[in-house]
Amino acid sequence: PISGLVCVPDTTLFASTSADGTLRIWDCAKMEGRNIVNKARQIYNRQTPLDCLAAGRSNYSLGIAARDGSICVFNIEKQSSVASRSINLEEDGTPVHLHFQDTLQPWLLYYTSSLGVTVGWDLRK
């Protein structure tokens, strides 16, 4: 089943995550009229159930969180993960929500866990 669905800002793209561990990037421009193409433009397999998804305005970034506690930032143009971290499942719980702070600090990805832990992850290098 699908666990997340977001529009990628300022593009014709949207992304979905699922319990089978896949992130799929779709292009709405290919879904016009009766000629709907139901094939994803990109597929990225994390091999662990994905539970959270967020889209950021800067650098075509997607935040992805998995049930195993891993969180990564996927760059659509580079077609790869550009940052990753893991949270301690026993102390912090599993990730339940992701959000990019696009207006003032586009380099911040916030995540919240099932135990109420909220963290602002600074993505600047």
Side-chain angles (χ1 to χ4, degrees), residues 7-19:
C7 293
V8 179
D10 305 322
T11 71
T12 60
L13 304 177
F14 67 97
S16 64
T17 52
S18 62

Side-chain angles (χ1 to χ4, degrees), residues 11-33:
T11 71
T12 60
L13 304 177
F14 67 97
S16 64
T17 52
S18 62
D20 68 358
T22 57
L23 164 69
R24 296 177 193 272
I25 312 295
W26 307 86
D27 191 346
C28 290
K30 303 219 186 267
M31 298 182 176
E32 297 177 2

Side-chain angles (χ1 to χ4, degrees), residues 56-59 61 100-109 123:
R57 286 195 184 278
S58 62
N59 300 327
S61 297
F100 280 96
Q101 175 58 36
D102 283 326
T103 53
L104 300 174
Q105 294 108 1
W107 33 264
L108 271 179
L109 174 63
L123 298 170

Side-chain angles (χ1 to χ4, degrees), residues 2-89:
I2 293 176
S3 58
L5 186 66
V6 295
C7 293
V8 179
D10 305 322
T11 71
T12 60
L13 304 177
F14 67 97
S16 64
T17 52
S18 62
D20 68 358
T22 57
L23 164 69
R24 296 177 193 272
I25 312 295
W26 307 86
D27 191 346
C28 290
K30 303 219 186 267
M31 298 182 176
E32 297 177 2
R34 294 180 178 229
N35 298 323
I36 296 176
V37 176
N38 61 358
K39 183 177 177 185
R41 177 178 153 177
Q42 292 177 35
I43 299 175
Y44 177 65
N45 194 331
R46 290 292 310 267
Q47 299 178 346
T48 185
L50 301 176
D51 292 327
C52 304
L53 177 63
R57 286 195 184 278
S58 62
N59 300 327
Y60 300 107
S61 297
L62 296 170
I64 308 161
R67 202 165 296 160
D68 66 0
S70 63
I71 301 172
C72 80
V73 177
F74 182 84
N75 182 286
I76 296 170
E77 289 178 324
K78 294 180 181 178
Q79 298 183 18
S80 65
S81 175
V82 294
S84 64
R85 67 171 27 184
S86 291
I87 63 174
N88 185 314
L89 296 177

